[in-house]
Amino acid sequence: MPSVKVLPVLPKWLLLLGLLASCSSTNSNAPVNLKAGLPVGAVLSLTGNANVYGQDQRIGLELAQAAFKPGSSIPLNLSIEDGGSDEAGAINAFNLLINRGSAALIGPTLSQQAFAASPIAQRRGVPVVAPSNTATGIPELGNFISRVSAQSLVIAPLSIAKALQLNPAINRVAVFYANDDAYSTSETAIFQKAIKAKGLNTVTVQRTQLNDQDFLNQITSALRAKPDMVVLSLQAVDGGNLIRQLRELGFKGTIVVGNGMNTPNIYPICQKNCDGILIAQAYSPELQTDANRSFVARFKAQQAGAVPPQLTAQAYAAYQVIAEATERLNKRQPLEAKPLREVRILLNEEILRGTYKTPLGKISFSPEGEVIQESFFVAQVRMNPDGRSGKFTLLP
């Protein structure tokens, strides 16, 4: 991991927006409000181009609420706010939930949003557990920021290695990434380093933007370089459209995609063209642990037999971490009548010192808030004959 992190510079209007929104606040020196349970907020992308992620995450939180509330001496009182798909939405939602007296936050959905919103929680001493922020530098935003989503630095190279195992003849690689997205720019650097480490030849690097829908120029330019493999660091909508157009324009080689496309919501977008793409994952529904079997059963019961995606499992794990840390903390030193400010500090310390048996496998945290995870996977998409549904098939 690089020793120096350069974070995005926020526009002045975004900084002003955050400042204004933080002016009205619950008194953090007053006792924490436990009437309905410990107040915890979640900021998800429920609208905008990242809503396909936020919807998966909301399901995970709903399942976790049902799983961890019964029998708890101090249940979580969860409030979910829509952070949209941009920095302004996440900033507003973070401030709103902090001002309401949230003892901890889950979110936001996107790394780009986290670089803007999580520093607000850091300044105000509110612990954040990020369920899907994989860009380099997230825990380094401060000692109140942790994540259950393994960073791209760990995961992305696994899919490159698997692609070469399946086809040792691969040599020429074309790279695509969205240059206006923090996750994409972070992950593509990791992909490109892994490509070089394997002795492969990067023949072209094509830049796109999140809202792009037509990739004819970039694809045409890339295909002139005759790549054997294409590597994408894009989100679900733009990535799905690029894959569809890439296949329609005749590319028949290997396609490796990053964590931004790790959702079944890509299937209706690239449809039959999704078939065969490779992706490294921090979660597999096939993981044989008690925690994962229980989670999968709950998901299938709610979703008519469907298989849970990674984002749902990670959101579930984020809630689980806060719920279990709260339970341990309250047994050791009851939170009733403690000032909200103190509860936030104590809960953050408890989160970081714990070990958790989650659907992701056993996880814990480094002192800096980086997730320590044992199990990782590489999957290949297998589309069904209808061309609009499929599954991530775990590869050996």
Side-chain angles (χ1 to χ4, degrees):
M1 179 183 297
S3 59
V4 178
K5 307 294 187 301
V6 179
L7 303 183
V9 177
L10 295 182
K12 290 182 179 179
W13 70 270
L14 274 181
L15 295 173
L16 179 61
L17 182 63
L19 180 63
L20 292 174
S22 65
C23 290
S24 174
S25 175
T26 296
N27 181 7
S28 62
N29 292 314
V32 63
N33 182 3
L34 298 177
K35 291 180 180 178
L38 186 74
V40 171
V43 176
L44 309 180
S45 294
L46 300 176
T47 56
N49 59 10
N51 78 89
V52 292
Y53 306 133
Q55 301 299 338
D56 282 349
Q57 292 175 317
R58 178 155 61 181
I59 294 170
L61 295 181
E62 290 171 349
L63 293 174
Q65 281 182 284
F68 293 99
K69 189 172 183 178
S72 297
S73 64
I74 182 166
L76 303 188
N77 179 18
L78 182 67
S79 297
I80 299 176
E81 290 293 331
D82 179 18
S85 297
D86 58 15
E87 297 92 328
I91 287 172
N92 279 336
F94 262 54
N95 275 309
L96 179 64
L97 290 167
I98 293 172
N99 291 343
R100 286 179 183 167
S102 293
L105 296 175
I106 296 169
T109 296
L110 302 177
S111 294
Q112 184 83 13
Q113 294 176 306
F115 285 123
S118 292
I120 296 170
Q122 174 65 29
R123 288 194 298 272
R124 300 180 68 180
V126 182
V128 175
V129 180
S132 56
N133 302 155
T134 59
T136 299
I138 295 296
E140 288 83 353
L141 291 172
N143 62 307
F144 281 89
I145 313 301
S146 61
R147 61 177 167 190
V148 298
S149 47
Q151 60 177 325
S152 298
L153 185 65
V154 174
I155 298 176
L158 301 177
S159 54
I160 301 296
K162 181 60 68 173
L164 283 173
Q165 180 184 336
L166 296 175
N167 182 6
I170 291 173
N171 178 47
R172 300 171 64 81
V173 184
V175 173
F176 290 76
Y177 75 97
N179 65 358
D180 59 343
D181 177 52
Y183 143 72
S184 298
T185 56
S186 174
E187 186 184 71
T188 192
I190 295 162
F191 266 138
Q192 291 181 54
K193 184 177 180 180
I195 291 166
K196 183 177 180 180
K198 291 295 185 181
L200 305 179
N201 181 23
T202 300
V203 294
T204 183
V205 176
Q206 296 292 324
R207 296 164 180 81
T208 66
Q209 293 193 330
L210 287 177
N211 291 326
D212 286 351
Q213 298 181 12
D214 184 348
F215 302 95
L216 177 61
N217 291 337
Q218 293 99 326
I219 292 173
T220 300
S221 178
L223 292 183
R224 288 197 195 103
K226 301 187 183 305
D228 308 309
M229 180 168 71
V230 170
V231 178
L232 309 180
S233 289
L234 300 171
Q235 292 187 17
V237 176
D238 54 328
N241 279 319
L242 195 148
I243 287 177
R244 178 176 53 78
Q245 293 172 37
L246 188 64
R247 291 301 194 200
E248 288 173 351
L249 289 169
F251 180 69
K252 300 186 184 303
T254 301
I255 298 178
V256 169
V257 302
N259 195 60
M261 298 188 68
N262 200 359
T263 168
N265 294 312
I266 65 172
Y267 302 154
I269 302 172
C270 47
Q271 300 179 26
K272 64 180 182 180
N273 300 293
C274 299
D275 195 67
I277 66 174
L278 295 172
I279 183 167
Q281 299 179 312
Y283 170 71
S284 171
E286 299 175 33
L287 182 64
Q288 294 302 308
T289 63
D290 290 342
N292 190 47
R293 282 191 289 265
S294 175
F295 166 69
V296 171
R298 288 178 180 275
F299 184 89
K300 288 185 174 181
Q302 186 190 89
Q303 301 294 317
V307 175
Q310 177 176 299
L311 289 169
T312 301
Q314 288 175 323
Y316 183 102
Y319 186 103
Q320 177 181 346
V321 163
I322 296 175
E324 292 185 357
T326 299
E327 190 75 6
R328 290 195 309 269
L329 178 60
N330 189 57
K331 287 180 178 178
R332 193 168 63 251
Q333 44 181 311
L335 300 181
E336 187 174 0
K338 286 188 182 296
L340 175 59
R341 181 189 302 275
E342 182 181 353
V343 169
R344 288 166 169 170
I345 293 171
L346 292 173
L347 180 57
N348 187 62
E349 293 172 350
E350 191 66 36
I351 287 170
L352 294 179
R353 69 164 59 101
T355 298
Y356 308 87
K357 294 180 179 178
T358 76
L360 310 175
K362 186 168 72 172
I363 65 171
S364 58
F365 298 96
S366 73
E368 297 75 29
E370 185 65 83
V371 66
I372 301 170
Q373 183 174 341
E374 296 179 348
S375 303
F376 299 100
F377 315 90
V378 179
Q380 189 168 40
V381 171
R382 296 298 185 195
M383 295 301 292
N384 294 326
D386 64 5
R388 296 186 64 83
S389 62
K391 65 176 293 189
F392 291 104
T393 302
L394 189 64
L395 296 177

